[in-house]
Amino acid sequence: MSSVYARRIGVLASAAALAALTSLVSAPTAQAAPPTPISAAAARSYLATVTPKAEGSTSGYSRDLFPHWSTVSGSCNTRETVLKRDGVNVVQDSACAAVSGSWYSEYDGATWTAASDLDIDHVVALAEAWRSGANSWTTAKRQQFANDLTRPQLIAVTDNVNQAKGDLDPGKWLPPRTAYRCTYARMWVQVKQYWALSMDSGEKTALVNILNGC
């Protein structure tokens, strides 16, 4: 191999290495998020087995019947655990409160740097769960549901967006950021499936329509 050719190969290799390094440096930071939900195909398959059921009433419902936020470890409860999980560069004080960090709200695309601007949304709201079968659960089971970190049931989002959602199902409310609706539908279906909660016809239709486009 000639020395000129060898140098040329060396220059090309160095350029390739530099390009790879540059792409790593410029790559966006991975956004922290809830557990990855089931696939759209799996969600569609489950929905095909669902027989819609009229939604129950909120008679007897109280948020106190779904104790939250539970202690996860030390002084950290479920809310602070989700804030840590869903944020970037989150710093917590000795009481586990988030004192700094950055949070991207998947529902509306807003970024926040104060934890007070965020709510921890129950994807399937507590009142919705009550109307879908949780009214017959024990308080202990409702507590597990309200603090479920294993399924994609909890997510840090802009507080007023969460408040606008209230206890509405996907037949009546969807995240304003349309790019997240497929993920949201997959999250909703997985939570309802795991916890064996019923769906009404409007809810099921909305989910089928979303997932058919995923």
Side-chain angles (χ1 to χ4, degrees):
M1 180 186 294
S2 71
S3 60
V4 173
Y5 184 69
R7 282 200 303 274
R8 186 172 297 162
I9 293 296
V11 169
L12 289 172
S14 297
L18 179 60
L21 179 60
T22 301
S23 69
L24 286 173
V25 171
S26 61
T29 302
Q31 178 62 42
T36 301
I38 59 175
S39 68
R44 286 192 296 267
S45 294
Y46 174 69
L47 286 173
T49 71
V50 171
T51 299
K53 180 180 178 181
E55 198 167 74
S57 76
T58 52
S59 177
Y61 168 74
S62 167
R63 287 179 66 85
D64 294 339
L65 295 171
F66 292 80
H68 62 288
W69 303 106
S70 298
T71 298
V72 175
S73 64
S75 59
C76 299
N77 65 22
T78 311
R79 172 182 164 80
E80 299 299 346
T81 300
V82 174
L83 284 172
K84 175 74 171 178
R85 182 198 69 191
D86 289 3
V88 175
N89 299 324
V90 177
V91 175
Q92 297 172 307
D93 64 17
S94 59
C96 207
V99 294
S100 65
S102 176
W103 292 268
Y104 177 78
S105 171
E106 293 283 9
Y107 285 3
D108 59 332
T111 298
W112 303 98
T113 55
S116 59
D117 289 319
L118 298 144
D119 278 353
I120 306 304
D121 180 40
H122 288 94
V123 173
V124 175
L126 305 183
E128 164 67 20
W130 178 269
R131 295 190 297 263
S132 305
N135 61 318
S136 66
W137 294 352
T138 62
T139 300
K141 184 173 180 179
R142 286 192 290 262
Q143 181 172 5
Q144 292 171 351
F145 174 81
N147 297 277
D148 188 359
L149 292 166
T150 305
R151 265 64 53 182
Q153 160 68 342
L154 299 169
I155 183 172
V157 295
T158 302
D159 53 5
N160 60 1
V161 174
N162 180 51
Q163 290 151 24
K165 170 189 171 180
D167 62 355
L168 302 178
D169 68 40
K172 303 178 181 72
W173 186 92
L174 290 167
R177 180 171 162 256
T178 55
Y180 198 65
R181 289 181 179 177
C182 276
T183 302
Y184 183 78
R186 290 159 50 206
M187 294 164 77
W188 184 281
V189 171
Q190 181 175 351
V191 172
K192 283 248 168 160
Q193 178 183 20
Y194 179 83
W195 291 98
L197 294 168
S198 64
M199 295 186 187
D200 63 41
S201 58
E203 174 187 358
K204 178 181 176 179
T205 297
L207 290 165
V208 169
N209 289 340
I210 296 165
L211 291 164
N212 281 343
C214 297

